[in-house]
Amino acid sequence: MRLYAQTPARRSRQVLTDLVALALIAVAVAFAMTVHGVIMRLAEPGRKVQSAGHSLASGLQAAGGAASQVPLIGGSLKKPLQAAAGAGDGLSDAGQSLQHVVGQVADLTALALIVLPVAFVLVLWLPPRLRWIRYSATTRHLFDGPGGADLLALRALTGPQRDLAAVPVPPGGLADAWRRGDEEVIVALSEVALRRAGLRA
């Protein structure tokens, strides 16, 4: 199985197409990662809220512990401070929840920005490459088999006429020479079919 043509012009086009496809995929991934980073900046307020809520809850819990030591009214002072500490925990949880939502949005957006362009590039690029690989393998297999040159000569005769311009036309024409089994004409025509596939004899 051959991945690239043997003829320079077609091989250059294939290499260029492959490089363009890989470059487009790399650009799509880089762009998606940049967008992911930008969206993740929106999680910064959530981190600040979580940190502030945690600090507030810790401070109020400590204050409640200290207030409980006050004789007679310690229990009464402790309860509102503990309730306020619970509100601080709620604030911290809200900040954490915001970060989680932003992270999910960033991940899904980056995934979409990678999958859609990459799928588009693959649909345009991969089928023609696979078709050529299959076509070139079939052509080479025909050429290497018994009577292969004769079969490829027939394929050349039934293909685009412009490809036959470089083949010297004997008296009676190319088709007549092929029917008569003219070796020189058969070889020349089979080479035309091989070149059409990007191969050499």
Side-chain angles (χ1 to χ4, degrees):
M1 183 179 70
R2 182 174 292 280
L3 295 180
Y4 291 98
Q6 292 176 301
T7 53
R10 177 167 283 204
R11 183 171 58 243
S12 298
R13 286 196 303 271
Q14 289 174 335
V15 170
L16 181 62
T17 303
D18 289 356
L19 290 176
V20 168
L22 292 175
L24 289 174
I25 290 171
V27 167
V29 171
F31 178 70
M33 292 299 99
T34 301
V35 171
H36 184 276
V38 170
I39 293 174
M40 284 305 294
R41 287 181 196 160
L42 299 176
E44 185 59 31
R47 280 190 284 273
K48 289 179 179 177
V49 168
Q50 181 184 8
S51 177
H54 180 70
S55 298
L56 179 62
S58 298
L60 289 171
Q61 286 283 6
S68 66
Q69 304 300 319
V70 176
L72 302 176
I73 59 168
S76 300
L77 290 174
K78 180 180 178 183
K79 285 181 182 178
L81 291 171
Q82 283 183 328
D89 287 332
L91 189 63
S92 177
D93 291 343
Q96 190 172 10
S97 178
L98 176 61
Q99 292 177 73
H100 178 69
V101 169
V102 170
Q104 283 188 321
V105 170
D107 291 344
L108 290 174
T109 303
L111 185 63
L113 289 174
I114 290 172
V115 170
L116 294 177
V118 168
F120 181 72
V121 169
L122 290 179
V123 164
L124 291 179
W125 164 68
L126 202 53
R129 289 291 286 124
L130 294 177
R131 272 197 304 274
W132 180 85
I133 290 169
R134 189 168 59 249
Y135 176 66
S136 66
T138 302
T139 302
R140 176 58 69 184
H141 180 70
L142 281 175
F143 181 72
D144 292 338
D150 200 31
L151 285 171
L152 289 187
L154 177 60
R155 181 182 280 186
L157 282 172
T158 57
Q161 294 302 302
R162 66 179 180 276
D163 294 344
L164 303 177
V167 180
V169 180
L174 292 172
D176 181 62
W178 173 77
R179 279 193 297 269
R180 286 187 285 103
D182 186 318
E183 285 297 325
E184 286 186 19
V185 170
I186 288 173
V187 168
L189 289 173
S190 66
E191 287 175 352
V192 168
L194 285 171
R195 278 197 305 275
R196 194 180 292 158
L199 301 174
R200 290 176 176 161

